[in-house]
Amino acid sequence: MKKVLAIVAVVIGIGCLWAAYVYWTTPADALPGYFPGFDPAMAGIHMKHGLAALIVGLALFVFAWFSTGKKQASR
């Protein structure tokens, strides 16, 4: 079960990294309509949205890494 959870975390993490890239490279008026922050009247980019997506994506990778690591033997 832990392996499946780690795979799901990696897939969602990749999606978050992709979202961060989109937020940092696409103006708010050109974002896809299903993205939070889409605003047809705004021409700037969403730095905070991208940073939040990056942090969540990296946290998911760290979670997957630690959940699949070897366990220490108990004493």
Side-chain angles (χ1 to χ4, degrees), residues 41-61:
M42 183 178 168
I45 60 172
H46 286 291
M47 287 299 291
K48 290 180 186 176
H49 284 79
L51 183 61
L54 176 70
I55 290 170
V56 170
L58 293 177
L60 286 167
F61 285 133

Side-chain angles (χ1 to χ4, degrees), residues 15-32:
C16 286
L17 292 180
W18 173 78
Y21 172 77
V22 170
Y23 275 123
W24 287 335
T25 59
T26 308
D29 60 348
L31 283 173

Side-chain angles (χ1 to χ4, degrees), residues 1-2 5-6 10-13 16 22-23 32-33 37 40-41 44 59-60 62 72:
M1 184 63 180
K2 286 186 178 183
L5 190 59
V10 168
V11 169
I12 295 173
C16 286
V22 170
Y23 275 123
L60 286 167
V62 169
Q72 283 185 325

